Amino acid sequence: MPYPLSPSAVDALRDGTPGARSTTHFNHAGSSLPSAATLAAIHAHLLREASLGPMEAGATSVEQTERARTLAAKLFNAQSDEIALTTGNSPGWGAAFAALEPWRAGQRILVARHEWGGNLATMRHIAQRAGATIEAIPSDATGRVDPDALEAMLDERVRLIALTWLPANGGLINPAAAIGQIARRHRIPYFIDAAQAVGQLPVDVAELGCDVLAGAGRKALRGPRGTGLLYVRRDFLPQLMPAFVDTYSAPLDAKGEPVLRDDAARFESSEASMALRCGLANALHEALEIDIDNIRARIDQIACNLRAQLAELPGVSVLDQGTERSGLVSFNVAGLDALSVRRTLAAQGITIGSNGVPYTPFDMTSRGLTQIARASVSYLTTDAEIDKLLAAIRTLAY
Ligand SMILES: Cc1ncc(COP(=O)(O)O)c(C=O)c1O
């Protein structure tokens, strides 16, 4: 594949994506458009299950499960035994959090302001109920989490640092590796929510210095809905005791006792959608083939272009903070709420997202925001699609 992705390469990738013909999609941060080959992989397995019997189709399931695991390990610069296949970002992140030793009163969790609301809900549900506190690390002047401010907050009561690398409500990219260096130096467990990063940015768990990293299959990776990836650093795994186990995650030993698996698959169960795993394996294969650096370069170029042109429109405020930015472009249109912007565009066949406070409560509240519209791009996005989006927003803004 040439670098950067050439227009003809993008055309070919769009030709292999049914949704690229039927919708103008600017909600890749919500869920992207799977390729025809990914859909075919899912479909083929459903047909195998239908003709052989779902359990009898198992040999292919095992092969495709291990293929997905191996490819995910390659994508993250990890080992296969450090990867669990999950059903989404929150199921993986939440299962790892719930597997930590019980929380005690006075213990502290430090999060960036951009932490995903679902992770905060889990922290409140488990740790805050036990008397632990959840504290936001200050951001620097650009809005990114401030590593120096984190270092100044540390004491012996800090039990976890949690970072949402790319927030759900803006294009900012947090300095995840700099936070990882501090976590490593102070030997504090470090969880990264990489829901928006996987498939869009290079993810190197060694460089990030994280103990746990969760990702979603359906976003930039273009995998099927209902899939996710969980990385657990091998040395950290013994500190995680899953809240429940089954015959797969804890098979019986010779004495009939359940023995917890010694790999990250202790977070998997025997029952899963094998068809979706086949689709996930294909999406991982495609991302690695196209090459994440190529993907990152093209997304960055498209998002910069969209951001610059949106900012020129009267009545439109682009809200993205940070210095290095992702494919998510957040904005508001004066006099209109984000949901009605989304609905009006949807009526014209253009899909964007809109968020309220709950997805990123600390960040929205601290910036005095109650809602944002978000147009998120992929390497599939074309100039013609951007022109269509801008023309539609231009008529709204008057
Ligand atoms: C940053 C972030 N974390 C977590 C999630 C939740 O992912 P899932 O729905 O796969 O649990 C999202 C979803 O948009 C997200 O943007």
Side-chain angles (χ1 to χ4, degrees), residues 31 42 49 110 131 135 167 169 172 208 224 273 279 283 334 355 374:
S31 195
I42 299 168
E49 290 190 343
L110 304 185
E135 298 162 52
N169 67 333
L172 166 154
L208 291 166
S273 166
N355 295 8
R374 57 175 216 195

Side-chain angles (χ1 to χ4, degrees), residues 29-30 88-91 116 119 164 166-168 193 195-196 216 218-219 374:
N89 203 82
S90 307
W116 170 250
N119 301 342
T164 292
L166 274 59
D193 177 327
Q196 296 292 348
R218 72 179 186 278
K219 297 178 186 286
R374 57 175 216 195

Side-chain angles (χ1 to χ4, degrees), residues 311-354:
E312 301 271 295
L313 297 185
V316 174
S317 342
V318 173
L319 301 167
D320 294 329
Q321 299 189 311
T323 46
E324 200 197 354
R325 299 200 178 117
S326 72
L328 196 161
V329 180
S330 60
F331 63 100
N332 272 330
V333 181
L336 292 175
D337 65 73
L339 186 58
S340 65
V341 172
R342 170 154 76 91
R343 287 190 175 142
T344 309
L345 295 177
Q348 299 171 45
I350 304 168
T351 46
I352 65 161
S354 64

Side-chain angles (χ1 to χ4, degrees), residues 55-315:
M55 295 311 192
E56 289 67 22
T60 319
S61 317
V62 174
E63 184 193 301
Q64 289 299 312
T65 292
E66 293 320 311
R67 179 165 179 249
R69 196 188 308 286
T70 306
L71 293 170
K74 190 167 174 202
L75 190 70
F76 292 174
N77 187 27
Q79 301 301 316
S80 299
D81 64 352
E82 296 175 308
I83 304 290
L85 304 178
T86 64
T87 56
N89 203 82
S90 307
W93 194 99
F97 186 87
L100 289 165
E101 271 183 25
W103 289 84
R104 291 193 306 277
Q107 292 183 324
R108 303 168 70 202
I109 304 173
L110 304 185
V111 300
R113 208 171 74 186
H114 322 90
E115 190 63 17
W116 170 250
N119 301 342
L120 290 171
T122 300
M123 292 179 216
R124 289 188 176 124
H125 180 65
I126 298 175
Q128 194 168 287
R129 277 205 308 194
T133 58
I134 304 161
E135 298 162 52
I137 308 160
S139 288
D140 66 16
T142 74
R144 299 179 318 160
V145 65
D146 183 347
D148 293 337
L150 166 65
E151 194 129 31
M153 291 172 84
L154 296 179
D155 64 21
E156 70 295 339
R157 291 171 304 147
V158 175
R159 231 190 101 187
L160 178 70
I161 298 168
L163 179 76
T164 292
W165 190 1
L166 274 59
N169 67 333
L172 166 154
I173 297 182
N174 268 317
I179 299 294
Q181 281 177 16
I182 295 170
R184 292 268 70 79
R185 197 167 343 112
H186 293 270
R187 297 175 190 278
I188 299 169
Y190 177 35
F191 280 30
I192 296 182
D193 177 327
Q196 296 292 348
V198 171
Q200 164 168 195
L201 286 189
V203 175
D204 180 334
V205 290
E207 193 187 314
L208 291 166
C210 56
D211 298 292
V212 166
L213 179 142
R218 72 179 186 278
K219 297 178 186 286
L221 196 55
R222 304 179 60 209
R225 280 198 76 175
T227 59
L229 299 167
L230 178 68
Y231 157 81
V232 182
R233 192 165 59 80
R234 193 183 275 154
D235 296 347
F236 189 66
L237 190 71
Q239 296 188 43
L240 295 181
M241 193 62 63
F244 84 97
V245 290
D246 74 352
T247 51
Y248 179 76
S249 49
L252 300 186
D253 67 8
K255 291 187 224 127
E257 293 298 321
V259 179
L260 196 57
R261 291 180 66 110
D262 63 1
D263 56 15
R266 64 172 56 175
F267 288 104
E268 293 176 10
S269 345
S270 62
E271 180 53 2
S273 166
M274 299 306 167
L276 295 187
R277 285 187 177 173
C278 294
L280 177 66
N282 190 70
L284 283 159
H285 167 72
E286 286 178 358
L288 287 163
E289 279 287 292
I290 299 169
D291 187 276
I292 293 294
D293 287 329
N294 284 348
I295 291 174
R296 166 66 185 146
R298 183 164 157 88
I299 289 181
D300 190 35
Q301 181 218 326
I302 298 168
C304 285
N305 175 23
L306 172 58
R307 222 170 256 127
Q309 295 200 63
L310 257 185
E312 301 271 295
L313 297 185

